[in-house]
């Protein structure tokens, strides 16, 4: 049963695609109070209560015991202390033996979830600004998720080729660089479906442009790669460079397409191109205009994009930067005491993504002026929606690849996400795994993290384990910073093992895609916690490093350095399939209970329920 309660939402998000009449607040069972901070909801938590959801967040699948804030933020220090990541996904599922209750906060501003952090036996939700609250109560946790997914609309499904392997690196700067990567994969007989271009392909980091010196025949390169079964996937950033004569900027100024300051002038921010402006995607006409700009690259044969920096991430605002520099300049020639030096460091640290800056520019939300601070969390969603809606006009019979760094619920209908700027840490591989079911609950099925880690130096064993982890994950992209060691799979000694893992992935793509389409159509989760599949099994409830994939498979990857295997809990009798290659594999039947499984670096292992064994083997043996 779904109920909706209105609390003065300021602008429509379209997160819920089904019209639901409002219920009287007298029917709301959750205690609600309002003060200067916002609206507070409190609920008692018993010892057995588990709380799931919130999509892209750190820590466990069960969110009990920490505080989380929905505030889309570009901050790559993805540690357990983080309260916010790149997306805001305001759905939680509260489960006990007696009850399964879903709560969705359809809000555009900050939402804080204190889930047993201040008081372990209390859930406290604080919402700033207006919002709609939805409650969903069903017999099981999976039924709650299905009902929620039904009312928010069907999930995005990419073209089938987008489940292939993608190679990326911030630093593929020229046509020669791209051809070198293709050659490396071909020489080592490694399958490849996508090469990603970061900001270096652009003319001085300007969206919808191409550096003609670095890519003199961009269209020819796109055709050449596609003939090999490889798509070129360029990045699009949120900000537009301030430069007269740059067509996108000139058009935007002429037609009033950019966010404004309090005086009605374009709000100037600093990002990769220097002084830039932000498309006002809260405005429908601006979304149509910005989406149409993708045509420049679509006409050159491009079939997919990744949207970045769309929280939006700001290096600085021009007004705050000038103020900071002037204040530092006052210290010139003076004897700096410790307090002065610390203050300068503080001023510089406050330049990027400053909350006061978010309050200093405004949107024209189809006739209504709204401070960005109040709608911050939907900016990335609406920018990606602009692209997807234009693709539908450009070619309604074609599927395009589209995924984004920033998101909120609603964007799940238009594209997928990658999990932001992670690092080459073993714990980040585990974090990716634990986010999968939480994101699925919120409608995001085409998801994944940067394989091998974006920042830092990966190791061969970490990369091998990460490849094995990602064999079943829909978005499989290896991505890294230019300062890191090269992490293309042929850069290491065990190239044959990487080749075998990729061949297994490609062998299983038809099965993975079939499950992806089924889950999108039926509003199911592609990745489920064991607790959802086996709600009466206490061991299953506490197991968070194993997941059920689709109907038949259980995944239990290795997440520890130098481990040659791991302990696995089987909630029922299953078959263990160990694969060294598509041709070399073993099958062992194991009873319900605990098992230690040897999984060498050159082996991919997964479990299959007895009733799904024949189906999986049909795909493996094709």
């Amino acid at each position: 049963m779904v109920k909706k309660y209105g609390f003065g939402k300021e602008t429509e998000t379209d997160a819920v695609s089904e019209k639901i009449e409002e219920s009287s607040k007298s029917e709301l069972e959750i205690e609600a109070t309002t003060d200067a901070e916002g609206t507070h909801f409190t609920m008692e938590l018993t010892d057995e209560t588990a709380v799931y959801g919130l999509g892209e967040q750190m820590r466990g699948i069960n969110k009990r015991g920490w505080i989380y804030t929905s505030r889309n933020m570009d901050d790559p220090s993805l540690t357990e202390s983080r309260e916010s990541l790149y997306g805001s996904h305001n759905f939680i599922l509260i489960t006990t033996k007696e009850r399964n209750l879903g709560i969705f906060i359809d809000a555009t501003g900050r939402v804080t979830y204190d889930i047993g952090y201040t008081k372990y036996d209390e859930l406290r939700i604080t919402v700033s600004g207006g919002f709609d609250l939805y409650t969903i109560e069903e017999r099981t946790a999976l039924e709650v998720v299905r009902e929620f997914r039904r009312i928010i609309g069907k999930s995005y499904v990419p073209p089938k080729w987008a489940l292939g392997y993608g190679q990326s690196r911030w630093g593929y700067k020229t046509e020669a660089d791209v051809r070198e990567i293709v050659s490396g994969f071909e020489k080592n007989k490694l399958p490849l479906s996508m090469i990603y271009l970061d900001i270096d392909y652009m003319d001085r980091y300007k969206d919808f442009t191409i550096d003609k010196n670095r890519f003199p025949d961009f269209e020819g390169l796109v055709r050449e790669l596609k003939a090999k079964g490889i798509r070129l996937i360029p990045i699009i950033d949120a900000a537009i460079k301030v430069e007269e004569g740059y067509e996108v900027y000139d058009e935007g100024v002429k037609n009033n397409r950019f966010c404004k300051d309090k005086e009605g002038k374009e709000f100037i921010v600093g990002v990769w191109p220097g002084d830039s402006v932000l498309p006002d995607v809260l405005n429908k006409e601006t979304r149509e205009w910005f989406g149409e700009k993708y045509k420049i690259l679509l006409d050159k044969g491009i079939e997919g994009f990744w949207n970045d920096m769309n929280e939006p991430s700001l290096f600085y605002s021009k007004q705050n930067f000038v103020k900071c520099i002037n204040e530092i300049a006052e210290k010139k020639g003076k004897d700096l005491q410790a307090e002065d030096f610390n203050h300068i460091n503080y001023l510089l640290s406050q330049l990027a993504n400053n909350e006061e800056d978010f309050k200093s520019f405004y949107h024209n939300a189809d006739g209504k002026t709204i401070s960005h601070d109040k709608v911050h969390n939907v900016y990335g969603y609406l920018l990606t929606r602009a692209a997807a809606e234009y693709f539908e006009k450009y070619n309604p019979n074609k599927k395009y690849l589209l995924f984004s760094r920033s998101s909120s619920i609603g964007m799940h209908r238009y594209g997928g996400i990658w999990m932001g700027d992670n690092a080459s840490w073993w714990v980040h591989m585990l974090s990716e795994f634990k986010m999968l079911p939480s994101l699925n609950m919120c409608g995001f099925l085409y998801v994944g993290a940067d394989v091998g880690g974006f920042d830092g130096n990966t190791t061969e064993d970490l990369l091998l384990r990460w490849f094995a982890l990602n064999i079943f994950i829909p978005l499989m992209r290896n991505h890294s910073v230019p300062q890191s060691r090269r992490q293309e799979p042929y850069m290491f000694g065990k190239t044959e093992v990487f080749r075998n893992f990729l061949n297994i992935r490609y062998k299983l793509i038809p099965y993975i895609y079939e499950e992806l389409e089924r889950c999108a159509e039926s509003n199911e989760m592609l990745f489920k916690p064991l607790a959802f599949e086996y709600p009466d099994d206490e061991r299953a409830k506490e197991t968070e490093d194993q997941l059920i994939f689709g109907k038949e498979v259980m995944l239990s990857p290795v997440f520890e350095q130098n481990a040659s295997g791991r302990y696995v809990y089987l909630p029922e009798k299953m078959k263990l399939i160990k694969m060294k290659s598509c041709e070399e594999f073993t099958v062992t039947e194991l009873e319900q209970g605990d098992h230690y499984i040897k999984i060498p670096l050159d082996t991919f292992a997964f479990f299959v329920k007895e009733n799904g064994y024949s189906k999986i083997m049909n795909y493996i043996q094709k």
Side-chain angles (χ1 to χ4, degrees), residues 287-299:
R287 288 200 300 274
E288 291 174 351
W289 168 79
F290 188 80
E292 189 174 1
K293 294 302 157 193
Y294 284 79
K295 184 177 189 295
I296 295 168
L297 293 166
L298 292 170
D299 284 350

Side-chain angles (χ1 to χ4, degrees), residues 530 534 537 539-540 543 546 554 556 567-576 588-595 597 606-608:
L530 269 59
Y534 306 94
D537 186 329
R539 283 290 308 283
T543 301
Q546 301 172 207
M554 187 178 77
S556 305
Y567 283 96
V568 175
Y569 173 67
L570 300 188
E572 63 176 275
K573 181 190 291 186
M574 294 185 182
K575 286 184 167 60
L576 167 63
T588 307
E589 186 169 281
L590 297 174
E591 297 295 324
Q592 185 272 342
D594 293 295
H595 302 269
I597 308 298
F606 64 102
F607 296 85
V608 182

Side-chain angles (χ1 to χ4, degrees), residues 484-495:
S484 69
R485 70 185 294 189
R486 297 291 292 266
Q487 60 187 50
E488 293 85 3
Y490 53 80
M491 290 290 182
F492 300 88
K494 295 184 181 297
T495 304

Side-chain angles (χ1 to χ4, degrees), residues 572-586:
E572 63 176 275
K573 181 190 291 186
M574 294 185 182
K575 286 184 167 60
L576 167 63
I577 300 179
K578 288 185 177 183
M579 302 184 69
K580 287 185 178 292
S581 69
C582 293
E583 295 76 30
E584 185 181 353
F585 57 87
T586 62

Side-chain angles (χ1 to χ4, degrees), residues 335-354:
D335 181 16
L336 296 182
Q337 303 297 310
E339 293 81 1
D340 298 314
F341 182 73
N342 289 336
H343 183 62
I344 289 172
N345 276 339
Y346 173 77
L347 289 174
L348 294 173
S349 72
Q350 295 302 298
L351 281 176
N353 301 315
N354 187 291

Side-chain angles (χ1 to χ4, degrees), residues 288-349:
E288 291 174 351
W289 168 79
F290 188 80
E292 189 174 1
K293 294 302 157 193
Y294 284 79
K295 184 177 189 295
I296 295 168
L297 293 166
L298 292 170
D299 284 350
K300 298 182 185 301
I302 294 299
E303 298 177 67
F305 300 87
W306 53 302
N307 286 347
D308 197 8
M309 301 291 288
N310 54 350
E311 290 73 30
S313 178
L314 312 179
F315 296 167
Y316 57 82
S317 72
K318 194 65 176 286
Q319 62 183 31
N320 198 20
F321 181 75
V322 171
K323 178 182 175 182
C324 174
I325 294 301
N326 288 340
E327 192 168 342
I328 293 174
E330 292 176 2
K331 307 289 185 184
K332 184 177 180 180
K334 296 182 180 179
D335 181 16
L336 296 182
Q337 303 297 310
E339 293 81 1
D340 298 314
F341 182 73
N342 289 336
H343 183 62
I344 289 172
N345 276 339
Y346 173 77
L347 289 174
L348 294 173
S349 72

Side-chain angles (χ1 to χ4, degrees), residues 212-241:
K212 298 296 185 183
N213 293 319
R214 293 179 174 183
F215 292 87
D217 185 12
F218 189 83
E219 288 181 72
L221 180 65
V222 172
R223 286 194 303 271
E224 175 188 326
L225 294 185
K226 189 173 179 181
K228 297 172 179 282
I230 303 168
R231 268 75 173 188
L232 200 61
I233 311 297
I235 194 173
I236 298 293
D237 278 348
I240 301 298
K241 182 174 176 57

